[in-house]
Amino acid sequence: MIPEYPVAPRQRDRWIRNRRPPKNPVDPWRPVGYFLEQEPDGTGAVVDVATILLANRECPFRCLMCDLWRNTLDDTVPPGAIPAQILYALDRLPAARWVKLYNAGSFFDPRAIPPEDDAEIARLVGGFERVIVEAHPALIGERCRRFQDLLSSRLEVAIGLETAHPAVLARLNKRMTRDGFRAAAEYLARHDVDLRAFILVRPPFMTEAEGLEWACRSLDFAFDRGAVVCSLIPTRGGNGALEALQARGEFAPPSLASIEPASEYGLALQRGRVLLDLWDIDRFRACAACWNDRVARLAQMNRMQQILPPVHCACVAARALPNRPQGGWVSGSRAGEGARPKEWATSAYNPWVSILRNEEKPRRQSMKGCEEIIARLNSRLSEELAGINQYIVHSEMCANWGYDRLHKAVEKRAIQEMKHAEKLIQRILFLEERPVVGPLGEVHIGSDVVGQYQTDLAAEEAAVKAYNDDVRVAAEMGDNGTRELLESILKDEEEHVDWLETQLDQIEQIGIQNYLAAQVE
């Protein structure tokens, strides 16, 4: 029996590592690979891109779906090794207009790419029009801005959004959130750095239909955050962890039935370039009669940035998803929504349309609440009001220290707690009782960022336990309206716990100084 995928991030790290095959031998003075590829430049032209896969220390984050660690080192490369790798590759590649420096992690991680090499790296790639690197959103900060200043080229940073589904993103163990992606995107925009987003097609814990839906929603999310290009990556096995999930029925690779419409959806938006990653695409091979023609079509769509007529085959109709777009594309009604298939405009056709449109559930009729339910709601209200004060103080302390990004993130938590308090008050009044707004729960103030995270985490963990108990009691008493409210708040509190654990793990992985440096705008 394969053990269940853990809930705690550190336990997930061990679970993922324990299923890995051995690493490949890697020379710190030679790139892992280098090749020439082509990309559309957004003006209708296609440019040659020199892509160099750098050998460096393994990324500190143990992502569930990643297999790039196979070609990484356990230690930081010596100073001068990264420039030597770049020079080695450039001497053997034909001329190109753009260059990608991909390093199986974060270019701005000082333990992966020594900062003292930045000036020489910038000199070596100075002849290219565009330089593309990749980084974790937690490491987007001052070093990124300094590297941009060293370049005479346009800088583009690729960030793995993976999915905009908040719960699945958390389970991917990447130690990032939608808010973290948003903050990194805003930083890049302020400093005139272009953003590229990597998006998975059917990550773990999704059906094929859900994988398509969330690929489309992730495209919307990335473009809303200013991405100039989105790269769609069909989720591939091969790292041990995904095979374990597949054996448990929690992962299956996507088929062309979702890969094709995801690409079509992105291109129809016309909000930026959309590229489907066709590397190792043959592992998804299905129908021998149409496979080559369908892959050739996708490659041509990458180059032309246009939707081409579909390849007709009996297997296409047989394997089409229930909500695959069949009737063309129409513009969305909301700002930033983009183009959506016509069929996605009705709840009957798409079960997620009510979520996309934030449709409200009908209100229940007024009812008198029992004493225990009211007491529990007032207890949670007292704790939420205390949490608001605690988050506000921590937010202002971060602003005073100059950690602007952290100030905004913590301030947002305070606002979320205000909304929780508002919902609790509304429910108590709905049950024809009086909200009790004092005395407040205990407020604990941390003396530094780590101390703040620790006190906030303790409060959130206590809140999760309390809300779980309240949900159980409400269900036992048949008060489903209160239960639904408490479950919605519980979900938010669990996300708060995950965010705080992620920040503490990032501090442990990259060091407090690197972490705090990334919080300065």
Side-chain angles (χ1 to χ4, degrees), residues 115 118-120 122-123 145-153:
D118 284 0
E120 179 61 12
R123 187 190 69 81
R145 188 194 62 76
R146 290 198 304 267
F147 184 69
Q148 180 196 30
D149 290 343
L150 293 171
L151 292 171
S152 57
S153 318

Side-chain angles (χ1 to χ4, degrees), residues 12 87 249 251 260 266 285 298 320 401 435 437 470:
R12 289 173 179 166
L87 184 61
F251 168 71
E260 287 175 322
R285 177 181 288 273
L298 292 170
W401 292 330
V437 294
D470 295 342

Side-chain angles (χ1 to χ4, degrees), residues 361-365 367-370 373 377 427 430-431 470-488:
K361 296 179 179 179
R363 292 188 59 183
R364 296 175 179 270
Q365 294 181 349
M367 57 177 286
K368 184 78 173 177
C370 74
I373 290 292
L377 290 174
R427 185 63 186 174
F430 180 76
L431 295 175
D470 295 342
V471 167
R472 175 183 53 79
V473 171
E476 290 174 352
M477 294 188 170
D479 187 349
N480 290 322
T482 298
R483 175 185 58 78
E484 289 177 2
L485 168 66
L486 295 172
E487 285 176 338
S488 70

Side-chain angles (χ1 to χ4, degrees), residues 86-156:
I86 295 171
L87 184 61
Y88 181 91
L90 293 180
D91 283 345
R92 290 159 175 79
L93 284 170
R97 288 172 53 189
W98 296 359
V99 64
K100 291 179 182 176
L101 303 177
Y102 284 175
N103 66 306
S106 296
F107 186 85
F108 302 115
D109 180 357
R111 292 183 289 186
I113 309 291
E116 55 264 42
D117 286 339
D118 284 0
E120 179 61 12
I121 294 172
R123 187 190 69 81
L124 289 171
V125 298
F128 293 94
E129 297 174 13
R130 179 176 292 267
V131 177
I132 307 166
V133 301
E134 59 184 339
H136 189 284
L139 291 162
I140 302 294
E142 184 62 20
R143 186 180 176 191
C144 172
R145 188 194 62 76
R146 290 198 304 267
F147 184 69
Q148 180 196 30
D149 290 343
L150 293 171
L151 292 171
S152 57
S153 318
R154 183 75 180 173
L155 179 61
E156 178 180 311

